[in-house]
């Protein structure tokens, strides 16, 4: 099984990041431009990406205490035999938020395209989260990025 792990730091509090991350049906707020459309039907969102890929993602867990959302691809253009992903907003030592995105997927040949999505999506999310936080929220690293 392939595991894809990405972390980056955002110049915002975990509560501010969660306000966007926790809105499962409105993933466009988190990744505008990378995600071009979202439709929510009960516990499943259908997400359209800028490259035309469409996936149906079922909500597995939405935990406001841990500021974590978990989901699984259950349909669409990609056909994994297994997919489970989670995103979490954790306090960072510098006062911002450590954004953690972890995905497990089978078959292994889906790791490359999903890794590319994670890299592209992370860059878009970093910008979106930085732009959605008022300037008085903090003065951390201007680009909000850390290796991961």
């Amino acid at each position: 099984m392939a595991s894809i792990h990405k972390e980056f730091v955002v110049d915002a509090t975990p509560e501010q990041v969660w306000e966007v991350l926790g809105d499962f049906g409105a993933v466009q707020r988190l990744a505008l431009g990378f995600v071009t459309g979202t439709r929510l039907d009960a516990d499943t969102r259908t997400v359209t990406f800028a490259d035309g890929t469409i996936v149906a993602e079922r909500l597995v867990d939405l935990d406001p205490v841990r500021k974590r959302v978990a989901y699984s691809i259950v349909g669409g253009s990609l056909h994994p035999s297994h997919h489970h992903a989670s995103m979490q907003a954790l306090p960072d030592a510098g006062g911002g938020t450590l954004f953690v995105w972890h995905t497990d997927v089978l078959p292994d040949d889906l790791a490359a395209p999903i890794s590319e999505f994670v890299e592209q999506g992370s860059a878009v999310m970093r910008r979106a989260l930085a732009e959605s936080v008022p300037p008085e929220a903090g003065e951390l690293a201007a680009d909000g990025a850390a290796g991961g």
Side-chain angles (χ1 to χ4, degrees), residues 33-81:
F34 181 64
V35 172
T36 59
T38 307
R39 186 183 76 245
L40 184 64
D41 183 19
D43 67 349
T44 302
R45 67 183 178 195
T46 301
V47 181
T48 303
F49 294 90
D51 72 352
T53 300
I54 298 172
V55 295
E57 299 173 334
R58 179 171 296 139
L59 180 64
V60 174
D61 186 40
L62 189 65
D63 185 340
V65 173
R66 290 181 179 80
K67 295 174 184 51
R68 177 181 176 270
V69 61
Y71 59 94
S72 181
I73 293 177
V74 294
S77 313
L78 298 177
H79 301 285
S81 59

Side-chain angles (χ1 to χ4, degrees), residues 111-145:
I114 290 177
S115 289
E116 186 175 319
F117 267 67
V118 168
E119 285 300 318
Q120 292 172 1
S122 293
V124 171
M125 288 187 284
R126 267 192 298 248
R127 284 191 304 274
L129 289 166
E131 292 170 3
S132 70
V133 176
E136 66 274 4
E139 297 297 325
L140 300 176
D143 69 355

